[in-house]
Amino acid sequence: MPEGDSVWKLARRLDRQLAGQVVARSDFRVPRLATRDLGGRTVLGHDTHGKHLLTRFSATDSSPAATLHSHLKMDGSWSTLAPGKRLPGRVQPHVRLVLALEDRRTVHGIRLHDLDLVATDREHDLVGHLGPDPLRADWDADEASRRLGADPARPLVSALLDQRSMAGLGNLWANELAFLTGVSPWTPVGDVDVDRLVARAAGMLRHSATVDGAYQVTTGSSAKGDDHWVVGRQRQGCRRCGGPVSTVEEIPGDAANRWTWWCAACQPGPGPDARVRRGAGGGPPRRSTRSSRGRP
């Protein structure tokens, strides 16, 4: 699942492949950036803020240093090819950016979302709305706790998924953190120890990103089918008690209400009827009760 740790690991891989390389020419395949050119710039490196990737390029004689912003969402990827190599034909229609390097390698951005190119000193315009990120040097745990606890009635998973509160946590982490906290995913966030929750979330995200073999393992065991407590275990059952794992499907278009997994025995508290979403046209919140034990 592409979450903050996924993008951080991607940034480190791209740094190893591209940092210090000079772009010979660029080809943006999105209308808004079609006339922009990165030719002659050096790739300085990559940074992340939550799920957002920032690729930084050197200045030119006529333009300041630039930053390319991209988001993977669920299907984006980057591919660096050796000289003479080509992407499969079925992938070509989904290429949104091509960078031809002076060393004759090519870099392809595939199914990238929210592409933008700004002066590096304007990065804040693109990611300034995001909350603190445990994988950044400017991580601020107190600020993350303050933001998460600002609306104490908000369901726990919805608060964790809000990138404005704490950046980098996606659906996997929100569900597994609710399990490890020992409460229903829809428990009001004000009913849990938010400082402890933030510390646990930050530690797990860092461990996943930086420790070999620990990527998105929440149980301590990387064995297939044994790496999560509840996520994806609706067939196997809860890893702790062996009881059934229930699921409720996402509300389309509502980032606060994604697919949710939980063990009712290990996670007491409100059920999915406590989910709150905005009504059509931005009207008042309404409840959603549609649920399933099926596989998403």
Side-chain angles (χ1 to χ4, degrees):
M1 298 182 182
E3 310 204 9
D5 48 347
S6 316
V7 182
W8 189 92
K9 289 172 75 70
L10 170 65
R12 304 290 74 75
R13 174 172 68 82
L14 292 174
D15 272 348
R16 293 191 295 271
Q17 296 174 345
L18 307 179
Q21 299 295 320
V22 178
V23 178
R25 62 179 178 81
S26 64
D27 177 13
F28 284 98
R29 300 180 183 179
V30 291
R32 194 162 55 85
L33 298 176
T35 62
R36 304 295 294 272
D37 182 21
L38 292 169
R41 295 180 185 263
T42 300
V43 180
L44 299 179
H46 298 78
D47 198 3
T48 62
H49 196 140
K51 305 177 186 182
H52 299 250
L53 178 67
L54 304 170
T55 305
R56 296 185 177 126
F57 297 87
S58 65
T60 66
D61 291 341
S62 58
S63 301
T67 295
L68 176 71
H69 168 274
S70 61
H71 198 299
L72 300 181
K73 294 197 174 177
M74 294 301 292
D75 57 355
S77 64
W78 288 81
S79 179
T80 302
L81 300 182
K85 298 293 184 179
R86 293 175 57 85
L87 289 174
R90 59 183 170 75
V91 178
Q92 293 287 352
H94 305 292
V95 174
R96 300 293 176 259
L97 168 66
V98 180
L99 300 177
L101 305 179
E102 287 191 349
D103 68 2
R104 298 179 51 238
R105 289 182 298 156
T106 54
V107 183
H108 296 77
I110 304 163
R111 295 187 180 91
L112 298 181
H113 303 267
D114 302 336
L115 271 181
D116 213 335
L117 186 65
V118 298
T120 297
D121 62 7
R122 299 295 301 273
E123 285 180 2
H124 189 269
D125 294 349
L126 302 176
V127 296
H129 65 288
L130 298 171
D133 177 351
L135 297 175
R136 290 179 55 85
D138 58 1
W139 164 242
D140 186 337
D142 291 339
E143 178 63 11
S145 293
R146 185 191 70 79
R147 293 189 183 203
L148 275 171
D151 182 359
R154 194 174 197 188
L156 175 61
V157 288
S158 296
L160 290 171
L161 288 170
D162 188 344
Q163 301 300 296
R164 298 168 299 179
S165 297
M166 181 174 173
L169 299 176
N171 207 34
L172 166 69
W173 292 111
N175 280 267
E176 293 288 283
L177 283 164
F179 178 86
L180 289 167
T181 305
V183 297
S184 153
W186 302 281
T187 298
V189 69
D191 289 355
V192 305
D193 184 335
V194 173
D195 290 341
R196 184 179 181 187
L197 175 69
V198 166
R200 172 177 276 157
M204 292 178 71
L205 203 64
R206 290 194 201 104
H207 188 76
S208 174
T210 62
V211 176
D212 289 342
Y215 175 62
Q216 294 191 349
V217 173
T218 61
T219 62
S221 171
S222 59
K224 186 176 181 180
D226 203 35
D227 50 350
H228 302 145
W229 294 101
V230 287
V231 171
R233 293 187 61 87
Q234 57 268 42
R235 293 183 178 178
Q236 301 97 322
C238 173
R239 189 175 180 272
R240 176 179 289 161
C241 75
V245 169
S246 299
T247 67
V248 63
E249 66 184 45
E250 66 185 357
I251 297 176
D254 188 341
N257 290 296
R258 305 280 305 282
W259 271 96
T260 307
W261 294 258
W262 81 103
C263 170
C266 295
Q267 296 175 259
D273 58 325
R275 297 201 300 183
V276 177
R277 62 167 293 182
R278 289 286 169 186
R286 61 185 177 88
R287 301 288 182 180
S288 175
T289 59
R290 190 178 182 188
S291 64
S292 171
R293 287 179 182 264
R295 187 170 184 168

